[in-house]
Amino acid sequence: MPSLGTSYGRGAATLAQWDLAKSDCVVIMGSNMAENHPIAFRFVMQAKAKGAAVVHADPRFTRTSALADIYAPVRAGSDIAFLGGIIRYLLENDAWFRDYALAYTNLSTIIRDDFQGPEDLDGVFSGFEPDMKAYFVDSWQYEGMAVPSPRSEHHPQTEMDFTACAGRMSEKPPHRDPTLRHPQCVYQIMRRHYARYTPEMVERVTGCRKETFLKICETLARNSGRERTSAFCYAVGWTHHSTGVQIIRAAAIIQALLGNVGRPGGGILALRGHSSIQGSTDIPTLYNMLPGYLAQPNVNKSHGSLDDYLKGETPPTGWWHNEPKYVISLLKAWYGDRATAANDYGFDWVPKIIGDHSQLPMTLAIRDNVIKGMFLLGQNPAIGGSNSRLVQRGLAELDWLVVRDFAETETAAFWYQGCPVRDGELAPSDIKTEVFLMPASIAGEKDGTFTNTHRLVQWHDKVVDGPGDSRSELWFIHHLAKRLKALYADSRDARDRPIQALNWPYPEVDARGEPDVEAVLKEINGYTCGDETPVGTFKDLKDDGSTACGCWIYSGVYPKEGHNQARSRKADGPGGPGTHLGWAFAWPANRRTLYNRASADLDGKPWSEEKTLVWWDADKESWQSPDAIDFEPSKAPGYQPDWNQKPEGMDALDGGSPFIMTADGKAALFVPSGLKDAPLPTHYEPIESPVLNPLYAQQSVPTAKRWNREDNPYHAPEDAQYPHILTTYRLTEHHSGGTPTRSVPSTAELQPEGFCEIPPELAARHGLRTGDWVVLETSRGAVETRALVTSRLRPFEIDGRAVFQIGMPWHFGWRGYATGDVANVLTSIVGDANTTMHENKALTCRLRPGRLSGGRR
Amino acid sequence: MSRDRRTPFNRVGEFLNQWSVPRQMRGADHRTDAARSRMSETLRPRLEDADRVGTSICPYCAVGCAQLVYARDGRAIHVEGDPRSPINEGTLCPKGSATIGWMNAPDRLSKVLHRAPYSDRWEEKPLDWAMDRIAHLTRQTRDETFVEALPGGETVNHTLGLASLGGATLDNEENYAIKKLFGGGLGMVWIENQARV
Ligand code: SF4
């Protein structure tokens, strides 16, 4: 989540779900929370019962809309126009929280004078290189200094020596103008940038009536400030766009301007779909990161040696200055005694990436025969992967494929049931792929921890064995590791050193040979080398090889031998503080509300009694709170760095800098580095859109990752062949690639068959009624499904033209009890510049009544 | 089997006596005695036979609802919301409530299935055999595709020939082990999951 990461310092939800009950206004956008996160939605309803306003903005009228006080229909893919309109409203009406934003954000900071925005450059920012479709971010920096990003990618593309210029952050504070009159201060830049996002423009771009839009602006502003706080909730309705990161950025700007971050009932809650999806970014099975948001070594950066890597990745100021401790402790956890100062702690053994190795390019690399062998561990890309036909066709190019799941997935069955086989393009006898389908255990059948959507690491017990040969993924990896270590034991080849050196000490605890999960958790937590005592916090980690730690942000989850905090189940009783510090473990350091120092003013006094969370106790000379404090516990509010000493790390952040992970301690309204597409959110049309961008000549985001090829073509803007917007979504009874719900009788019964939602006005044009068959088609493929004619989807008038939206749940497939065509047959492989996230929430398609001649896809 | 000697009249009387509705209509408290019937006398608590209970977390979405999993003879018999949890306070949504259906799904695999190259069928295989074969293939593919340095001389120590996908539904410990073995041990760089946001 680079959006929250670059804005506030950490890519994670800022508040606990239960804290929503304390909100005065909850804005839900990019999410159908009542449907998809129903238990969390209870807290929204609790807030509403206490008088809070609930706002929902969405392309579809859903169960969430039905329970909202204000519903705003917005065209899929127009969110930044809407949110940019809110930013303009707040700035032009002076409706932002002045004392908070001036103190805790970079609103008054001066940006270099050669910075220019889309106002001046017809839709792009300064530094754009059209040939590379990428930005040089020199001109986005603070005046006189380069600003390293708190994300794992500290090496932005620049002409200057970035690391050297970033060093100046230790010499003086950034140049600020508290009067906000300087033309290059962030405030003035934002006012110019958002000037054109007027209510009239919002209506023109999003289709939402300006009266509704203004009512939302007023409601949000009225419910923010000293006495009140508002929260934003979003989900994949924001992330699945070519501009997804920037949509969330826009919300981050609004919340920081309104002073809603780090305070009770305020913040941004990312609602995530899978049980441990937050955990799988913290301890990433992702190509570009090492555990704890450390950068994967990259051949395109100065990562030639450990020294260079640490120099390039360690910012001079802010908490991340501690990075070397975390990197070296990780290498010690991975390579144990074999990691020594003499061999750079095995740094060279960590593979270097050479480009984008995420799921979308991976799909193409499978199809293009670069990837030969593949493991699928609980994922079903034949359903969930964009451009499903291409995914399925690609699988036939693999030499071998291991699928581990609890039931046979569509992906595992590709070689006899996939599109290429049903279309007659391939027969099983043409497909060389050797396929293993292995039964997997699920929660209840294995010990382990999930990290939920608000960073809460919760342990689940093994109660029963999985059926037959079902095993945990940990069992699989453990026994594969043992076999591979044996196979490579005698090698003298340097390239085989990493697998030989890999530290693999996990004891087996039962007759099936399941490894001891707590031993792994302890390694994740960290320990001192030699006596193997767990570290209590990440403050105990060292950069001299004397500590090992698998993921520094999880330190404290297993703070003492035999103390598994993730398994702790002590909730606060009624009348308790409600932070529930005894219930499981929240990273980092059990903090429930991130940046909670911001709940107090510059003097350390809570902004209001009603919204008290953290305060400075002058007598005790320390911060007090019912939460774990996200700040140095005894740094006085009045502390000022001594710039003559060239302060580093936390010494360089003053007592009024709650965003300790950023280099200047402030929330970044304007992001100088860490993002590849813009320092300020800007509305671009989706890659496929039925309209031209009403705001700029630049139609879609110029930095998007595109793979335009024969088997992955895109529709041009305003393409008359594909006139309608298609958006995809999920339902309460659906999960993940569909297998865990379509193969389970009760959930399958509740959602028995695929369908698509069609507005009545469009249905009338085609003479369609609910239950009729329709064919949806894009240049990637076609599907047939039943029509559900409903005014929950309404036509939009965009720039004077009627635009229709069609919605299709994407979790159906051909296996299990509940079947339906695969929506992802329609989607394309195209990605956000920062995350390579696909754009399956807004694309274009055409519709006709009837069925496919060749049967289902 | 002995013959039922009761007359129809007796039986109707008995029925009316046992049926709870007339008693409730007469004003007896429907929450206690008046709710009693022959059927209710034979009802047993649902979890009486459970020989084990464990605390769990819902395997579906990231709200993270806490659960109690009850089992008898090594088989899960009931899953319910943990009332102590500050997140769900004992409740579960339709998915969370389906957890028992997931654990006991009729289509669950219990054996390794193997499809040989160009074959038209699955074949059951022993777990050990599959593990050996997968280890062998992993090594072979790695050895064939491993790159120590780029033509320009930059050390990369990686393989582009192996890929792994999945993780957002797995435990942290599992993701840790995957990244450690596949990345730190084998040099794989195509390691991804659903969390690309
Ligand atoms: S019960 Fe429902 S809301 Fe709770 S974690 Fe499970 S799927 Fe999510």
Side-chain angles (χ1 to χ4, degrees), chain A residues 763-782:
Chain A
R765 287 193 188 182
H766 293 279
L768 282 170
R769 294 213 313 242
T770 293
D772 289 350
W773 286 100
V774 290
V775 171
L776 299 179
E777 198 170 354
T778 67
S779 56
R780 278 80 59 181

Side-chain angles (χ1 to χ4, degrees), chain A residues 564-739:
Chain A
N564 178 352
Q565 181 62 26
R567 200 171 184 274
S568 170
R569 291 288 189 274
K570 291 190 205 99
D572 295 346
T579 44
H580 305 291
L581 295 183
W583 184 276
F585 173 82
W587 73 261
N590 213 14
R591 295 163 194 163
R592 306 293 156 128
T593 299
L594 294 182
Y595 324 112
N596 52 26
R597 153 75 187 91
S599 68
D601 64 15
L602 274 179
D603 299 328
K605 282 205 293 292
W607 292 106
S608 68
E609 191 158 336
E610 177 69 18
K611 301 283 174 180
T612 297
L613 183 60
V614 169
W615 61 94
W616 173 254
D617 186 324
D619 298 336
K620 294 188 187 138
E621 293 190 354
S622 64
W623 294 92
Q624 306 293 319
S625 175
D627 195 357
I629 292 152
D630 190 8
F631 201 63
E632 283 179 295
S634 57
K635 179 185 267 184
Y639 167 82
Q640 287 298 329
D642 178 358
W643 295 104
N644 296 322
Q645 302 289 323
K646 279 199 152 208
E648 292 189 320
M650 291 301 287
D651 291 347
L653 302 192
D654 66 22
S657 294
F659 295 87
I660 57 172
M661 307 308 287
T662 63
D664 60 349
K666 309 294 179 193
L669 301 180
F670 182 100
V671 169
S673 68
L675 294 176
K676 295 184 176 138
D677 49 356
L680 284 174
T682 308
H683 171 75
Y684 297 111
E685 286 295 319
I687 305 300
E688 295 185 350
S689 171
V691 298
L692 295 179
N693 190 346
L695 274 155
Y696 306 102
Q698 178 67 38
Q699 168 72 6
S700 55
V701 56
T703 49
K705 296 194 178 168
R706 297 159 195 256
W707 290 272
N708 201 347
R709 44 189 263 177
E710 211 182 11
D711 49 4
N712 188 53
Y714 306 130
H715 306 158
E718 277 195 313
D719 190 334
Q721 281 200 72
Y722 303 102
H724 309 309
I725 299 174
L726 176 70
T727 189
T728 61
Y729 57 96
R730 130 176 127 73
L731 301 155
T732 305
E733 298 81 6
H734 281 172
H735 180 65
S736 197
T739 320

Side-chain angles (χ1 to χ4, degrees), chain A residues 37-40, chain B residues 58 60-65 92-93 95-97:
Chain A
H37 298 87
I39 302 295
Chain B
C58 177
Y60 286 100
C61 93
V63 171
C65 296
L92 292 173
C93 83
K95 277 196 299 293
S97 315

